[in-house]
Each structure stands twice: as C-alpha cells, then as structure tokens.
Amino acid sequence: MANALYPKYKEALLNKVHDMDTDLIKASLVRKSGTDTGGTYTYSAAHTAKTDLGTTVSDSPTLTTPTIVDGVFDTADFVWTAVTAGNQVSIVALWNDSPTSPVADPLVVFYDTGMTGMPVTPNGGNINFTVHASGWFAL
Amino acid sequence: MNPNSQHQLWSRWTARVTPDPDRALPPYDVVKDNCARFYRKAFGAATELNLTGSNVPGACWTIDCRTEGHPAHDPDYVRFMVGNLRHFLESGFGPHAAVAFEVKFEAGDRQDGRPADQLIIGPEPVVLDNRLLRR
C-alpha cells in the first residue's frame, strides 16, 4: 500500500472533526503484517481510529509547531524516546488525540514508503524523525 | 543512504543568517557556490546541503547541512565547527550579519552508554489531486 490519507479522515475533515493546527496530533510506529516479524497491521481505507492500528510500537508526544499554510500540513521534527528494542518497523501513522466523536483518536495518514531509514529496527534508543521539507501532506 | 548503519554518525547543522544591512547583498548563485565549497571542505563529501534565501533586503537565509561522520554529540567539536562556520558566514554576509545555529545529533552512538540514536527522514508529502472531476 502506498502512502495515503485515510478516506475517513477526509470525511471527518469535511465534518469539522479536525482542527489540525490546534489539536493534539501524534505519530505512531507500527509493525506491518507480512513484512515485519510480529506485525499485525494492514492498511484499510475503512480504518477510522488509532485502535485499528492494533498495538503500536511507540507513540510520539504531541507534534509541535503544526502549520496549515496553503493546504499543506507541517510540523516540527520529533523524537520517539527510548523505543523498546525489537523487530523491524515499517509504518508511521499520524492520528489525532483530540476528538472523541464520532470516534476517539481518529487516524489521519498512513506512510510505509519513501522514508529514508525505514524499515528501522529499534535498538532501545531514541528514534529521531525529520519531517520532509515540504511537510506531511497537502490538500 | 541508510542513516541507521552501525558506526555512522549523522548530524544536521542549520544556520539562519540575516545579512548585514550595510553590505551589498550577494546573488543567490554566489552564495550557493561559496557555501558548497566551504561546507565540502569543512565536512567532507558525505554531506547534503540545502540553501534557501534571496537577496531581498531583510530576507533570512537558511543553510541546512546534513552530514555523516562528525561527532555532533561532543560540545567542544560543535563549538569549534560553529566558530568556523560563523567566521565564514560573517565574511560573506557582513560583520553585522545575525547568525543563529542549530546543531542536531540525528543518528549514531553518542558514546554515553545508551543505545545509538536512529533516524527516519519523512517521505515526500501525500498530495491530493487538485483537479476536480469532470463529466
């Protein structure tokens, strides 16, 4: 599956569920079914909430300095701190920790391709994430 | 490039420069050539450099360098390199240029007993098609 905005995110965006520059946007590392040992997640366009990801490897703190200029969503770089050592990880997913309705913690976007340094095999240390110079996604 | 290979040290050196208002502003291509030459000498070949800026008065220039093999976890080394870079940038942009540095250790062993830092660089953004469907 290529990188994609979750269709249910787009639907929720049109229903005023998300306020991308004030809500608590977070990023999770997730193991991919069939690719990462122990991975259970497979992208589905029907997925709506963070619970659909199953058990995540690590969740980031709230991403800082969110901006939404000209339809482009961007944030500052961030760190997953002391990620437990284990099998490789191939997926980064963004989700919103603010909304509680129609679902809690709605998913935003899914990435599994085009990332330098991925898949990454956590070694117990920090994993630094540098956001692309052009941001996360553009509407 | 795999920033998570063993024994590699990746770091990012970002300089933001507001040129000296009393100095004639250099053309973009001149700044680019000079930065490429100096940063290659300072950091070596395994270096990626991005330059943004313009010679509009008051505009800020950003010189963003990602490089491998430099101990950016060592404060003495960082002080030494930032001193060299500052000297270079003030020579080009003028002695009253405002120069701010941010140095980030991105991946590798900090030699502090903890596991090595790892790095992921985000993908090109997902972009929705701007065209509206036509019937």
Side-chain angles (χ1 to χ4, degrees), chain A residues 77 116 121 123 126 128 130 138, chain B residues 104 106 116 118 120-122 126:
Chain A
D77 303 341
T116 302
T121 303
N123 62 7
N126 294 343
N128 300 305
T130 300
Chain B
K104 282 169 70 177
E106 292 192 311
Q118 295 172 295
I120 302 168
I121 301 171
V126 172

Side-chain angles (χ1 to χ4, degrees), chain B:
Chain B
M1 160 184 170
N2 178 6
N4 301 321
S5 293
Q6 280 195 323
H7 311 304
Q8 291 196 3
L9 299 173
W10 287 89
S11 55
R12 191 168 174 189
W13 305 67
T14 306
R16 291 184 179 82
V17 185
T18 305
D20 186 339
D22 298 330
R23 169 80 63 102
L25 294 170
Y28 180 88
D29 287 344
V30 171
V31 177
K32 183 179 163 189
D33 288 347
N34 287 339
C35 285
R37 197 175 307 124
F38 185 83
Y39 274 73
R40 192 178 302 122
K41 275 194 172 180
F43 289 114
T47 297
E48 172 189 297
L49 192 67
N50 286 302
L51 176 70
T52 55
S54 72
N55 54 6
V56 173
C60 178
W61 291 74
T62 302
I63 302 129
D64 190 15
C65 171
R66 175 173 283 122
T67 186
E68 194 279 321
H70 300 276
H73 55 288
D74 178 349
D76 290 339
Y77 179 79
V78 170
R79 205 172 298 121
F80 170 75
M81 288 305 288
V82 165
N84 287 339
L85 295 170
R86 182 181 298 278
H87 181 70
F88 162 72
L89 293 169
E90 288 178 349
S91 299
F93 286 106
H96 299 297
V99 183
F101 280 96
E102 183 184 5
V103 180
K104 282 169 70 177
F105 182 87
E106 292 192 311
D109 188 355
R110 293 175 186 265
Q111 299 182 323
D112 61 358
R114 292 183 299 168
D117 281 31
Q118 295 172 295
L119 173 65
I120 302 168
I121 301 171
E124 295 263 350
V126 172
V127 180
L128 292 186
D129 194 336
N130 272 334
R131 292 169 300 178
L132 296 174
L133 294 175
R134 288 184 185 175
R135 291 182 187 274

